[in-house]
Amino acid sequence: MAVAILPDGSRKEIPDGSTIKALADGIGKRLGQAAVAGEIDGTVVDLTTRLTGEKQVKILTDRDPQALLVLRHSAAHVMAEAIQRIWPGALLAYGPALDNGFYYDIALDQPISSSDFARIEKEMASIIAEDRPFVRYELPFAEGLKRLEAEGNRYKVDNAQRAQQAGSACLSWYVTGEKGRNWEDLCMGPHIPSTGRIKGFKVMSVAQSHWHGDVTSDRFQRVYGTAFFDKKQLDEYLHLLEEARKRDHRVLGPQLGLFAIDDAVGQGLVLWKPKGAVVRQELQNFISEHLRRQGYHQVFTPHIGRLGLYKTSGHFPYYRESQFPPLVDREFISQKAAEGCSCAQLSNLMEAGEIDGYLLKPMNCPHHIRIYASEPHSYRDLPIRLAEFGTVYRWEKSGELGGMTRVRGFTQDDAHLFCMEEQVPAEVLGCLELVKIVLGTLGMNNYRVRVGLRDPDSAKYVGDPAQWDRAEAACLAAAQSLGVAFTKEPGEAAFYGPKIDFVVKDVIGREWQLGTVQVDYQLPQRFDLSYIGADNKSHRPVMIHRAPFGSMERVIGVLIEHFNGSFPLWLSPVQAIVLPISQKTSAFAQQVMEQLRAAGVRVEMDDSADKIGAKIRSASLQKIPYQLVVGEKEAAVNKVAVRHRNADQGQLDVEELLARLQQEIATKGVAEAVV
């Protein structure tokens, strides 16, 4: 008999060789009908997979995220079959599932455009209506490879050879229907039971890609799609995309005068315009208040550092692909030139890191470490908390850049804490308190927490396992104290220590990774940091990295979309605008503006010749929270007609309005997102 250990801990005996589907049917008729796939010892499998021995087993239904990935991989097969029906000469390369859909890379001489999507979807609908089963079969590697070579699709041959290199002794195919009669594809699986399970699907877009991501290799057309278990989920997703399109910070940001990205300056390098600078400065001022309260010290460090600094930290040359090339010392170049060093040899020296020079800093931590090391420390000094809004530089591929959320130069709200090991739990809690304050003030209370732990089977993690155990225990205890859902994620720790990440869900349901806290035993060791303990002996401090925002560029890009450009009053670049109805009231309007400005309100006045309706529309497009309309009646009684977020609030005395504005600004108001 086989034994299935179910998620609730119960054990169920079934005949050896029974399928996952049979297990589901045995547990309950409704579960059997809802079953989509299975999970055996953490690996997702088909329902036809047979059970032997004792295994941890989970039945996956349409409520499980893993099941949705299985559905989308199956939808990729359906789309590929549809495309080959329309273009029989299309060669298939690779078609994985994604978090938001799927794609298939296809070699085809004829371009596929959006005008073809309806044809593809029609063929997909036909395949789905046939409700054909996904059937797996295997061939010994040599036999399967011979078959692929005879078929003449070299991309599938390459896929097969890579599978062999990964340890596969056989090759597997999936038939959508009956072997020898219906469409099939080389595939590892798993798949849903049949095509009929796909209730909502859509072809989304087409883009250019290359074999193995190498721009010098074969060019493909990458056709994207998405799929869901029901049509309602698809409709909700498409609505979400439309909302995201309307809120796109790459459009809204320039429209509102917040930032610009100019090719003459460089891709991925943000130019902060005056209004964007106001938002950024307000956020920095806000968090700086809490840094002072928690005992942080502000520091400033240069934008570059000697290459040896990053060799010691481990950032170079091991992460050189994500860094700008080093700035080589002129003396070093002159010396190598005198020695007859060729350009190729110099390039090899740079690749290996065997050069003298500087690097645009990819991280702030080595600089903060050198500040700590610049003077001796006693246990009485600890913890030492160093904070900086430090700009760092990463080399992102041009195709991966995206407005302000993926850039090449960005400013982190960074800090590094140097403490004794027994202080780690309290310091981690203090960091999490700061993140909670930030997210709560911004009204982003819908978030989850990931605790990145080491994978004990991986060689990438360095350091004493006992130290790792203590650091992970501190992170888990701190995460538990937050009172929100958190997940343990083995293998997601940084190479130097565990970390806690905050994943925030915005007003339209998208997730963004923002704040992070990381515990680090390794960099203090690499840089030989120390402090004198109460025993008058030298000890090694522990280092904590933390960034509540992550980066100013990313968080403001997220906030533009979260608030749809309508920032809460304290963050709004222009908090109020005075709108005189005519020139007759311009003098009083000017007086109102000056009174508000003197009190610290960011206020402007539209004294153009436009009619009041046009002025109101213009102010609304600029997302200005308060519009203060001044006519002759208002001027006569020292009042203004107040519109807040385009809703009429009636007339207010200027003093009463000012008190209201100051109160809302001082308390940060209620940072509600605009739906």
Side-chain angles (χ1 to χ4, degrees):
M1 298 291 285
V3 177
I5 305 173
L6 301 176
D8 63 0
S10 63
R11 300 164 65 89
K12 187 169 182 63
E13 290 190 351
I14 52 175
D16 200 48
S18 297
T19 64
I20 299 288
K21 178 66 166 64
L23 171 65
D25 289 337
I27 295 173
K29 182 179 179 181
R30 293 182 63 182
L31 180 61
Q33 292 172 339
V36 175
E39 189 178 283
I40 300 177
D41 290 343
T43 300
V44 180
V45 297
D46 299 320
L47 287 179
T48 54
T49 302
R50 299 185 180 279
L51 290 166
T52 58
E54 184 173 297
K55 299 288 193 305
Q56 297 277 347
V57 181
K58 181 179 180 181
I59 310 298
L60 301 180
T61 69
D62 59 11
R63 297 182 179 181
D64 294 290
Q66 305 99 311
L68 187 56
L69 289 174
V70 176
L71 177 95
R72 286 171 172 168
H73 183 43
S74 300
H77 275 227
V78 171
M79 185 181 74
E81 179 180 356
I83 287 172
Q84 285 196 318
R85 281 185 177 184
I86 299 169
W87 297 283
L91 292 181
L92 305 177
Y94 182 59
L98 305 170
D99 287 341
N100 60 353
F102 57 87
Y103 69 79
Y104 220 116
D105 280 342
I106 295 165
L108 180 63
D109 292 337
Q110 180 176 340
I112 298 174
S113 71
S114 58
S115 62
D116 296 310
F117 292 175
R119 296 170 63 198
I120 298 171
E121 290 172 352
K122 182 178 179 181
E123 292 295 335
M124 291 178 69
S126 174
I127 296 165
I128 291 169
E130 293 170 17
D131 196 19
R132 287 189 261 132
F134 286 92
V135 180
R136 177 188 176 103
Y137 71 91
E138 298 178 350
L139 293 176
F141 182 83
E143 182 182 346
L145 184 62
K146 184 177 180 181
R147 169 185 163 174
L148 291 172
E149 289 172 340
E151 291 175 353
N153 184 340
R154 68 187 189 88
Y155 308 117
K156 293 297 183 181
V157 171
D158 186 279
N159 287 343
Q161 291 170 337
R162 287 172 178 266
Q164 184 186 38
Q165 292 168 4
S168 296
C170 62
L171 296 174
S172 58
W173 276 260
Y174 276 82
V175 185
T176 313
E178 183 181 336
K179 182 181 177 182
R181 177 183 175 188
N182 295 117
W183 187 89
E184 58 186 74
D185 193 14
L186 178 74
C187 179
M188 294 177 61
H191 284 283
I192 57 177
S194 68
T195 61
R197 292 292 187 100
I198 305 170
K199 302 299 184 183
F201 66 92
K202 187 171 181 61
V203 181
M204 301 297 297
S205 62
V206 62
Q208 178 180 298
S209 63
H210 293 85
W211 187 225
H212 300 316
D214 182 357
V215 295
T216 64
S217 66
D218 292 9
R219 182 183 297 178
F220 294 136
Q221 296 182 72
R222 176 169 291 180
V223 185
Y224 288 93
T226 193
F228 294 87
F229 282 105
D230 66 55
K231 182 67 164 53
K232 182 180 178 182
Q233 290 174 330
L234 173 65
D235 292 341
E236 290 173 351
Y237 174 72
L238 295 178
H239 174 71
L240 171 66
L241 289 183
E242 179 60 21
E243 279 298 309
R245 185 190 64 78
K246 293 176 183 176
R247 296 164 178 265
D248 191 340
H249 75 278
R250 294 168 297 182
V251 177
L252 270 180
Q255 284 179 352
L256 297 176
L258 300 175
F259 70 90
I261 297 177
D262 189 333
D263 281 342
V265 175
Q267 287 187 316
L269 302 174
V270 176
L271 297 173
W272 291 88
K273 301 177 79 170
K275 289 182 178 180
V278 168
V279 179
R280 172 171 166 165
Q281 191 62 57
E282 285 293 333
L283 286 171
Q284 290 184 189
N285 293 343
F286 157 60
I287 197 170
S288 293
E289 292 175 11
H290 293 283
L291 294 181
R292 287 189 290 271
R293 178 180 58 81
Q294 288 193 349
Y296 282 80
H297 302 285
Q298 187 79 36
V299 298
F300 298 93
T301 61
H303 290 236
I304 65 172
R306 291 200 67 86
L307 205 54
L309 185 69
Y310 305 103
K311 291 179 183 178
T312 302
S313 70
H315 293 110
F316 190 88
Y318 306 109
Y319 299 98
R320 63 181 179 272
E321 291 183 359
S322 61
Q323 298 165 3
F324 280 80
L327 307 171
V328 185
D329 275 348
R330 289 181 178 179
E331 293 83 356
F332 181 84
I333 293 178
S334 298
Q335 176 190 340
K336 290 301 175 183
E339 295 173 359
C341 178
S342 68
C343 291
Q345 290 170 327
L346 180 61
S347 177
N348 289 336
L349 290 173
M350 291 179 65
E351 187 78 6
E354 298 173 2
I355 56 174
D356 292 327
Y358 292 81
L359 190 69
L360 283 171
K361 66 175 179 181
M363 307 288 281
N364 295 304
C365 34
H367 293 249
H368 292 187
I369 285 171
R370 297 312 303 167
I371 291 176
Y372 175 90
S374 65
E375 55 188 84
H377 297 285
S378 159
Y379 71 96
R380 293 186 179 89
D381 303 327
L382 304 185
I384 292 174
R385 308 180 185 99
L386 304 180
E388 177 182 17
F389 292 99
T391 302
V392 298
Y393 301 89
R394 310 276 176 83
W395 180 257
E396 302 283 359
K397 294 179 181 178
S398 59
E400 296 174 344
L401 297 173
M404 295 179 72
T405 57
R406 195 73 178 266
V407 292
R408 286 176 173 161
F410 55 94
T411 301
Q412 296 176 309
D413 61 321
D414 215 352
H416 297 92
L417 295 74
F418 302 86
C419 62
M420 295 181 285
E421 187 169 4
E422 56 266 32
Q423 294 172 324
V424 168
E427 291 304 307
V428 170
L429 282 173
C431 293
L432 296 188
E433 178 203 5
L434 190 59
V435 178
K436 286 182 67 176
I437 289 171
V438 167
L439 296 180
T441 302
L442 292 171
M444 304 186 82
N445 296 306
N446 188 359
Y447 60 84
R448 61 185 177 87
V449 173
R450 299 185 307 214
V451 182
L453 308 173
R454 72 193 187 281
D455 179 353
D457 297 326
S458 173
K460 87 170 186 177
Y461 303 102
V462 295
D464 180 359
Q467 289 179 330
W468 271 92
D469 290 341
R470 292 192 292 273
E472 289 181 339
C475 288
L476 289 169
Q480 182 72 45
S481 73
L482 290 170
V484 299
F486 74 92
T487 56
K488 304 175 186 179
E489 303 200 9
E492 293 302 316
F495 74 91
Y496 49 74
K499 63 177 181 175
I500 303 172
D501 291 332
F502 285 74
V503 182
V504 178
K505 185 172 288 189
D506 69 14
V507 70
I508 58 173
R510 297 168 302 177
E511 289 193 328
W512 306 88
Q513 197 269 304
L514 294 180
T516 186
V517 178
Q518 303 175 0
V519 179
D520 181 1
Y521 283 87
Q522 309 313 319
L523 285 184
Q525 183 172 318
R526 284 176 177 264
F527 283 92
D528 195 25
L529 301 183
S530 65
Y531 68 91
I532 300 301
D535 57 2
N536 208 34
K537 295 180 181 180
S538 180
H539 296 269
R540 188 85 68 198
V542 180
M543 190 172 171
I544 298 174
H545 310 243
R546 72 104 191 94
F549 288 143
S551 86
M552 303 308 295
E553 286 74 10
R554 181 176 178 82
V555 75
I556 291 176
V558 171
L559 289 178
I560 290 170
E561 300 194 8
H562 181 64
F563 292 119
N564 198 19
S566 297
F567 293 104
L569 186 64
W570 68 280
L571 276 180
S572 295
V574 179
Q575 295 168 323
I577 186 167
V578 184
L579 307 175
I581 290 178
S582 70
Q583 292 298 314
K584 294 179 181 179
T585 55
S586 288
F588 178 68
Q590 181 76 23
Q591 178 185 326
V592 171
M593 181 182 71
E594 291 175 357
Q595 186 175 349
L596 296 180
R597 183 172 290 168
V601 178
R602 294 188 292 272
V603 59
E604 293 180 351
M605 184 174 81
D606 184 351
D607 59 353
S608 68
D610 291 339
K611 292 183 178 181
I612 190 62
K615 291 181 179 182
I616 290 172
R617 282 193 297 275
S618 176
S620 299
L621 290 173
Q622 294 175 57
K623 312 272 187 178
I624 298 173
Y626 281 89
Q627 301 165 17
L628 313 176
V629 179
V630 176
E632 292 184 62
K633 291 181 180 179
E634 288 79 17
V637 292
N638 196 39
K639 292 186 177 184
V640 293
V642 179
R643 290 172 56 84
H644 180 236
R645 305 292 185 192
N646 295 321
D648 289 327
Q649 303 287 301
Q651 288 186 343
L652 289 178
D653 291 332
V654 177
E655 291 76 10
E656 184 182 356
L657 168 67
L658 180 55
R660 173 174 170 177
L661 294 175
Q662 290 177 323
Q663 172 72 9
E664 189 174 340
I665 292 168
T667 61
K668 302 292 189 292
V670 179
E672 294 180 347
V674 178
V675 180

